[in-house]
Amino acid sequence: MSFLWGVTIFGIIEICIGLFTLSAVLTSLVIGVSAKPPEVMAFVVITSSISFGLGIGILRRSIHSYHLLLFFSTMVIFSKFLVFARIISLSGALETAIPSTAKNIISVVYHLALIAYFILPAVRKEFGERRNVLFSLTLPFFK
């Protein structure tokens, strides 16, 4: 139980990511410097809102937020590998001042760490998860 502080840390990180991104988008809209197309703006607002909501849900120990966080983290990792393999590419409108390769590597490391932490038996128990699966796939190395 002593390492369950990670739940709080990951929850706060998700809230901060959501709030920072939402505030940046709203600020750019208010001061009129946003060059992003409406579709990209909608995507960024939706994903940042999801991140914010998942962070709150994780802090509240919501099993639904737990499942969604693992699902979205897995999808982020999968999409980053597709980007690395040059199977897909992101619109330039999604890019920022930070080099995309660095952002993608940081994202993969963060989401892998998140998944590895949240599938630990004590963390799963904290959320009331009784199944030993990740998306109906048996977890390796756990009995």
Side-chain angles (χ1 to χ4, degrees):
M1 285 265 214
S2 63
F3 64 90
L4 291 178
W5 50 266
V7 173
T8 302
I9 290 173
F10 279 113
I12 290 170
I13 289 171
E14 289 296 321
I15 289 170
C16 289
I17 290 170
L19 280 178
F20 178 77
T21 306
L22 276 173
S23 64
V25 167
L26 293 176
T27 300
S28 70
L29 286 173
V30 168
I31 62 175
V33 296
S34 177
K36 297 185 185 316
E39 301 84 7
V40 172
M41 292 297 281
F43 175 78
V44 171
V45 168
I46 290 168
T47 56
S48 60
S49 298
I50 289 170
S51 183
F52 176 76
L54 288 176
I56 291 174
I58 290 302
L59 291 179
R60 297 180 74 199
R61 306 303 199 262
S62 163
I63 188 72
H64 301 298
S65 293
Y66 171 86
H67 289 147
L68 283 172
L69 185 65
L70 289 174
F71 173 75
F72 284 127
S73 293
T74 304
M75 293 300 103
V76 167
I77 292 167
F78 182 65
S79 69
K80 298 301 178 185
F81 284 131
L82 292 176
V83 168
F84 290 142
R86 298 176 192 240
I87 295 171
I88 63 171
S89 63
L90 295 177
S91 162
L94 279 173
E95 300 301 321
T96 61
I98 302 169
S100 61
T101 302
K103 284 191 316 185
N104 289 337
I105 291 169
I106 291 167
S107 179
V108 168
V109 169
Y110 170 75
H111 288 97
L112 282 172
L114 186 148
I115 291 170
Y117 178 77
F118 276 90
I119 64 172
L120 292 172
V123 177
R124 297 167 60 73
K125 185 178 177 184
E126 179 75 8
F127 283 88
E129 177 61 82
R130 294 184 307 264
R131 301 173 306 146
N132 201 24
V133 297
L134 179 64
F135 313 129
S136 298
L137 300 172
T138 304
L139 292 172
F141 314 116
F142 292 103
K143 287 194 175 205

